[in-house]
Amino acid sequence: MNFEMLARQHDATDPLASFAQEFHHPQDASGQKLTYLCGHSLGLQAKSVAEYVEQELADWRRLGVLGHHSGTRPWIHYHELAASGLAELVGASATEVVAMNSLTVNLHLMMVSFFRPNGARNSVLIEKSAFPSDRYAIVSQLEFHGLSAAKHLVEVAPRPGEHLLRTSDLVESIEREAPRLGLVLLPGIQYLTGQFLELAPIIATARRNGVTVGIDLAHSIGNNLLQLHDWNADFAVWCHYKYLNAGPGAIGGCFVHQRHTGQNTLPRFSGWWGNELETRFRMAPEFNPAPGADGWQLSNPPILSTAPLLASLGLFQRAGVSRLREKSIALTGYLEFLIQELMPESVEIITPIEPEQRGCQLSLRLKRNSVDASLCQQRLIANGVIGDWREPNILRLAPTPLYNSFSDVWKTATVLAQALQA
Ligand SMILES: *Cc1c(COP(=O)(O)O)cnc(C)c1O
């Protein structure tokens, strides 16, 4: 069988194929389109982003401060425009989500409210090899409370010789450690292995044992189908520059479950944008939180870094999350198939094989008989393919359903097969 023909056939029948043309694709020095499989790190720019940003620049030029009320999209309400799209992506109601700050800042704000070391319940459970920023944030919160990582950080690792976390091990660890846990913080997708954790049973276990649970969706939002509300997570945080394509340093996002947003009993760090709208501009000395996740906002939002998010959410809405997921499963399945056909000797796919336990990313561990990952990465770039690599010897490739094609995957696999030759 001709695998390239297969790719063309898939592209010809792909209902989402035209979305690729709605993005700017990076090019090499001679103007050739690069094959971009790096949406797990920084998503591409949609062509509509320029209009959205230019609209705000124009309103600012034309209206100055009056843009807060009289702009095309009045800035007073600007963050609200993201809520329904985000709610759909994470499986929540619009009042449970808010676009604000950036991921690590939101994680700190959430821990202020949700990690309240109390008697014996003063430890945090995370996965071993968690994303460094999350670990730094958690350790600094522990130290802020006079606690230490050595005593109060519980890290669950894969079993010796394994790469992935077993759900049963996570569930058992949470049950065993519960009497001393104040918080469980786990990713949707583990950034290094691409494993999508089975969040429903994990969250249920934490809740059943009276432990607060937060989820980091940095690599999951816009990638997996999520049901944060029904799964009953207490909170979640994420960024929008990966699969949400909102641009470098874009505004981040946050979820607070409805059961916490009705009453005003949780302590929080407050700012004026978290005050309810009716009284915000009375400049009263008392803080009255806005209902829902909005009440955790601090500052008026950065309009220019939120505009690309609105452009992007429009594309997700038009493409439809379930159609995107369907294509994603096929696209990543095709990459997996080609890797196993063309280079079984030189790479091991460490990402789970089951589609429901991964998103679009595949993490490849280069075997000892092939080149090392950084050299492989250099060769990929020299041949027009953008992925990335992480210590130790792991190459990450993420075909995204919004702007990648089956032909992109074919190109990547053939370039990779060559790059791996010693
Ligand atoms: C990308 C990523 C971050 C980045 O944090 P910022 O505050 O947006 O710089 C943090 N945590 C995880 C798990 C990530 O994947």
Side-chain angles (χ1 to χ4, degrees):
M1 199 200 336
N2 181 330
F3 299 143
E4 190 175 11
M5 286 269 291
L6 189 65
R8 293 234 185 87
Q9 269 172 24
H10 279 312
D11 284 335
T13 56
D14 170 12
L16 301 178
S18 66
F19 281 92
Q21 289 148 36
E22 301 196 37
F23 285 83
H24 295 287
H25 292 258
Q27 301 178 347
D28 67 13
S30 65
Q32 279 286 102
K33 174 191 157 231
L34 296 171
T35 301
Y36 194 83
L37 266 64
C38 218
H40 58 280
S41 188
L42 182 72
L44 293 183
Q45 183 185 134
K47 290 177 178 167
S48 56
V49 162
E51 279 161 48
Y52 276 74
V53 174
E54 176 51 36
Q55 180 71 62
E56 302 318 318
L57 292 173
D59 282 357
W60 176 24
R61 273 195 301 271
R62 187 170 62 92
L63 298 166
V65 71
L66 302 181
H68 281 298
H69 291 283
S70 313
T72 312
R73 300 185 181 92
W75 301 325
I76 294 268
H77 297 290
Y78 205 79
H79 68 278
E80 296 167 20
L81 300 176
S84 67
L86 292 178
E88 193 183 349
L89 291 177
V90 300
S93 72
T95 55
E96 291 175 308
V97 297
V98 62
M100 63 179 190
N101 312 308
S102 50
L103 190 161
T104 309
V105 174
N106 290 339
L107 181 54
H108 275 297
L109 292 177
M110 288 295 103
M111 283 194 282
V112 164
S113 293
F114 290 100
F115 178 52
R116 311 288 306 153
N118 175 7
R121 290 197 173 247
N122 56 8
S123 298
V124 182
L125 183 143
I126 62 173
E127 95 274 25
K128 190 152 177 71
S129 310
F131 193 91
S133 195
D134 299 39
R135 198 178 190 282
Y136 302 154
I138 291 162
V139 171
S140 67
Q141 289 269 341
L142 286 171
E143 290 171 353
F144 176 74
H145 289 290
L147 306 166
S148 73
K151 288 201 191 126
H152 303 100
L153 191 63
V154 180
E155 294 175 279
V156 182
R159 294 184 185 186
E162 298 187 5
H163 298 294
L164 304 173
L165 289 158
R166 297 195 190 191
T167 305
S168 57
D169 287 356
L170 283 164
V171 163
E172 279 162 27
S173 300
I174 293 168
E175 280 173 344
R176 189 179 57 244
E177 305 289 345
R180 66 178 182 119
L181 291 181
L183 176 66
V184 168
L185 185 87
L186 288 168
I189 283 192
Q190 214 286 337
Y191 80 102
L192 196 56
T193 64
Q195 178 182 13
F196 181 45
L197 298 184
E198 293 184 83
L199 295 176
I202 291 168
I203 294 169
T205 302
R207 300 262 309 131
R208 201 169 51 244
N209 287 277
V211 183
T212 302
V213 55
I215 307 294
D216 185 325
L217 295 176
H219 288 262
S220 279
I221 187 168
N223 187 14
N224 302 108
L225 299 177
L226 301 167
Q227 292 298 336
L228 282 182
H229 177 90
D230 290 348
W231 292 339
N232 254 320
D234 290 286
F235 71 87
V237 293
W238 58 86
C239 53
H240 291 125
Y241 49 79
K242 290 169 181 165
Y243 297 111
L244 262 288
N245 310 314
I251 193 166
C254 193
F255 161 90
V256 181
H257 198 281
Q258 208 161 34
R259 68 177 171 276
H260 299 297
T261 62
Q263 79 267 37
N264 181 21
T265 50
L266 286 172
R268 68 180 105 194
F269 283 174
S270 305
W272 74 320
W273 228 253
N275 198 85
E276 57 177 353
L277 186 57
E278 301 84 82
T279 56
R280 185 184 305 153
F281 299 100
R282 285 190 207 146
M283 302 302 190
E286 308 79 30
F287 175 73
N288 278 313
D294 279 8
W296 271 264
Q297 293 171 100
L298 298 179
S299 302
N300 70 105
I303 299 299
L304 298 180
S305 95
T306 310
L309 174 62
L310 300 187
S312 175
L313 287 171
L315 287 175
F316 273 87
Q317 216 131 39
R318 270 172 48 220
V321 289
S322 50
R323 282 204 306 174
L324 280 166
R325 182 64 193 140
E326 213 171 291
K327 174 176 173 184
S328 179
I329 290 170
L331 208 54
T332 296
Y334 182 54
L335 178 60
E336 177 192 343
F337 166 77
L338 290 175
I339 287 167
Q340 270 156 8
E341 286 290 320
L342 304 178
M343 56 204 100
E345 304 300 320
S346 34
V347 301
E348 174 196 359
I349 298 174
I350 64 173
T351 307
I353 295 307
E354 301 81 2
E356 64 280 6
Q357 287 181 37
R358 68 187 184 195
C360 65
Q361 170 190 329
L362 291 185
S363 298
L364 315 180
R365 196 177 65 86
L366 304 196
K367 292 185 188 167
R368 211 168 284 152
N369 61 351
S370 68
V371 297
D372 78 45
S374 72
L375 177 61
C376 177
Q377 159 76 351
Q378 283 169 31
R379 289 177 175 175
L380 288 180
I381 292 176
N383 288 287
V385 171
I386 312 291
D388 70 5
W389 74 284
R390 285 285 178 272
E391 301 284 1
N393 242 16
I394 288 176
L395 192 67
R396 300 187 301 173
L397 297 170
T400 66
L402 253 188
Y403 54 75
N404 285 124
S405 64
F406 290 85
S407 298
D408 288 343
V409 170
W410 160 251
K411 162 97 197 270
T412 300
T414 50
V415 168
L416 178 61
Q418 284 201 330
L420 289 169
Q421 317 242 314

